[in-house]
Every structure is written in C-alpha cells, then in structure tokens.
Amino acid sequence: MSAPAPSPAYVRPVKVRRPTVAARTGASPYDPGETPLSRTRRARRMARELAVIHPDAHCELDFTNAFELLVATVLSAQTTDKTVNKVTPTLFARYPDAVALAGAERADLEEILKPTGFFRAKANSALGLAQALVERFDGEVPGRMADLVTLPGVGRKTANVVLGNAFGVPGLTVDTHFGRLVRRFGWTEEEDPVKVEAQIAELVPKKEWTDFSHRVIFHGRRVCHAKKAACGACGLAQWCPSYGIGPVEPEAAAKLVKTPAASDTE
C-alpha cells in the first residue's frame, strides 16, 4: 500500500517580528550586496520549503494531451484557469485536434469562447494556432522550444508550460505570479520575463524547474497575493526580504490564505 499524499500546508504561522527594511520603506527587496552563493543557498532553501507548503502544486489547466494544453494556455491570457476549464470540454469535444479546430466556423468558435472574455481575439488566436500546426507541423504540437515560439500567440511562457507538462522537458513558467514572487523574494530585480527566466534558472536546479514553477504560482495564488500578502502565515517568511508587506499577525494573515476551492486560480 502506498503512503498517503502529504497534505498542503498553505498556512505556516511564523513568529512575529519587525517588517523588513524593504517592507517598511518600499525599497527594492533585491540586495546587490548579497553574494551569488548566498542568494543561491537562500533560494534553494526557500524552494525546499515551497515543496513542503505546496505538495499538491500542479498545472491548473485541464488537458489530456499537448494540443489541448497548448490551446488552453493560449486561451488563459487575461482570464482565469477556472474559466478556461469551463469552456474547454465543449471546445475539445467539438474540435479534438488541430485539423478540426483549423476548420472551425468562426461564429461557432466565438460562441464557445465567449465566457473567457476577448472571445473574438481568442477565436482568431485559436484558429491561427491550429492552422499553423496543420500547415507546418502536420497537425502535431512540436516538442521543441525553438519550434513552439514560432507559432502564433506562443511565447516562452506558453512554450514552457507545454514542454514541462506535456513533454516532460523542464521549464520555468514566468507568469505574473512567478515574476511578482521572485522579485519579492529578492532573487531578481528584472521585469522582463525572459531575463527573469534566465536569472532564476541559475538559482534552481534544472530538473526542478517545472514543479518549482507550479509551487511558486500556487504560492502567489494562495498566500503571497498581489495586493495583500499573508506574511504572518507564510513558511518563507524567515528568508523573505519582503516580509511585512502584508499582515504579520498569524491570525490575521491566515484569514487571507486561500484554499484551492476558494482560489479563483487567476
């Protein structure tokens, strides 16, 4: 009999202390005086703690193959994963592969995609993507970054999602949550996603990139929120130079933590 999966530990109360300088003054949490070795050690310690906090971290888009994941990821722009998951069963039942989607009637496709918002633009993206797959890759999703980023609407973020979750190729998914958190962690001060990806790749072992990305994104959705971080309930607090940007009292902070059921998986 296999051991039961560990339970998520999203709430990790910490000893209340004074907020950090960055939290008190609004200064950058990135310390240029921190040596590369110290930053790497701190990053890896935080990465290990993230694995404890979020053992259930995974891609929150529903899919059964690379084509479905690619399309779902493109559709997830400017909407929530939860919303995309509501429309994709109908979408893929009608258009199960690139050939079928490439031949879709625009009006029918727009009607299916309407709940996701910007449905006309998304219909254009889905049609263009499917047509490119058919014309250039025989309807199959390529398994290389160099090929994926040539597809309409596919950048490195989307390509890394597909490579990591459909092909088992390690990749860092630098979405808004990921970028926000690694800057709060003081691991980088870059804003450009490509530069962020390159810097974080130096801190985290390659074999962990995909799972690490899921954990950071889970943490951003459930604990380290954009507007009010749950600092007093965060297991990363002792290593985080942004500690104190949100409530530090454990009880108040714990009320901010979301469970998967409550999270809108934005």
Side-chain angles (χ1 to χ4, degrees):
M1 181 182 296
S2 60
S7 299
Y10 302 146
V11 178
R12 305 271 282 178
V14 297
K15 183 178 180 180
V16 178
R17 68 178 195 279
R18 192 182 188 201
T20 63
V21 172
R24 296 197 310 269
T25 66
S28 171
Y30 182 82
D31 177 8
E34 184 177 30
T35 67
L37 179 59
S38 293
R39 185 173 294 113
T40 298
R41 285 176 172 169
R42 183 169 64 86
R44 294 191 178 189
R45 182 64 187 86
M46 294 173 77
R48 289 195 295 272
E49 183 67 15
L50 278 170
V52 173
I53 299 171
H54 303 289
D56 57 336
H58 60 280
C59 177
E60 294 190 279
L61 288 168
D62 296 336
F63 68 97
T64 62
N65 55 50
F67 169 72
E68 291 184 1
L69 179 58
L70 177 60
V71 174
T73 305
V74 169
L75 295 178
S76 69
Q78 297 179 295
T79 191
T80 65
D81 290 357
K82 185 178 289 187
T83 299
V84 174
N85 289 340
K86 289 179 180 177
V87 304
T88 48
T90 300
L91 178 69
F92 296 134
R94 187 171 300 184
Y95 311 113
D97 53 36
V99 173
L101 184 56
E105 290 292 333
R106 183 180 300 275
D108 294 339
L109 186 56
E110 288 180 356
E111 186 63 29
I112 294 172
L113 299 180
K114 190 171 289 186
T116 67
F118 305 99
F119 61 91
R120 291 187 178 89
K122 290 184 179 181
N124 284 337
S125 296
L127 286 169
L129 176 62
Q131 289 162 4
L133 286 172
V134 172
E135 293 168 5
R136 291 159 42 201
F137 298 102
D138 296 322
E140 299 297 321
V141 176
R144 298 194 315 148
M145 172 69 74
D147 293 328
L148 282 167
V149 296
T150 67
L151 294 167
V154 177
R156 289 190 64 88
K157 183 193 83 170
T158 296
N160 275 323
V161 170
V162 174
L163 289 173
N165 295 282
F167 291 100
V169 177
L172 292 168
T173 303
V174 185
D175 70 353
T176 54
H177 297 287
F178 189 100
R180 180 179 78 250
L181 265 63
V182 295
R183 284 187 288 273
R184 283 181 176 176
F185 296 163
W187 293 2
T188 182
E189 55 184 350
E190 296 290 350
E191 295 284 342
D192 179 79
V194 176
K195 293 180 180 179
V196 170
E197 181 185 344
Q199 281 202 317
I200 305 309
E202 296 294 320
L203 301 176
V204 179
K206 184 175 182 178
K207 64 181 180 179
E208 299 177 14
W209 286 353
T210 301
D211 288 339
F212 171 76
S213 296
H214 292 321
R215 292 164 188 157
V216 172
I217 293 168
F218 258 51
H219 203 66
R221 288 173 170 171
R222 289 154 173 76
V223 181
C224 195
H225 310 299
K227 294 182 179 178
K228 189 177 284 188
C231 294
C234 178
L236 305 179
Q238 63 180 300
W239 305 284
C240 182
S242 296
Y243 171 80
I245 60 172
V248 297
E249 298 79 10
E251 187 173 334
K255 292 179 181 179
L256 298 173
V257 176
K258 294 182 179 180
T259 64
S263 173
D264 195 30
T265 58
E266 59 197 80

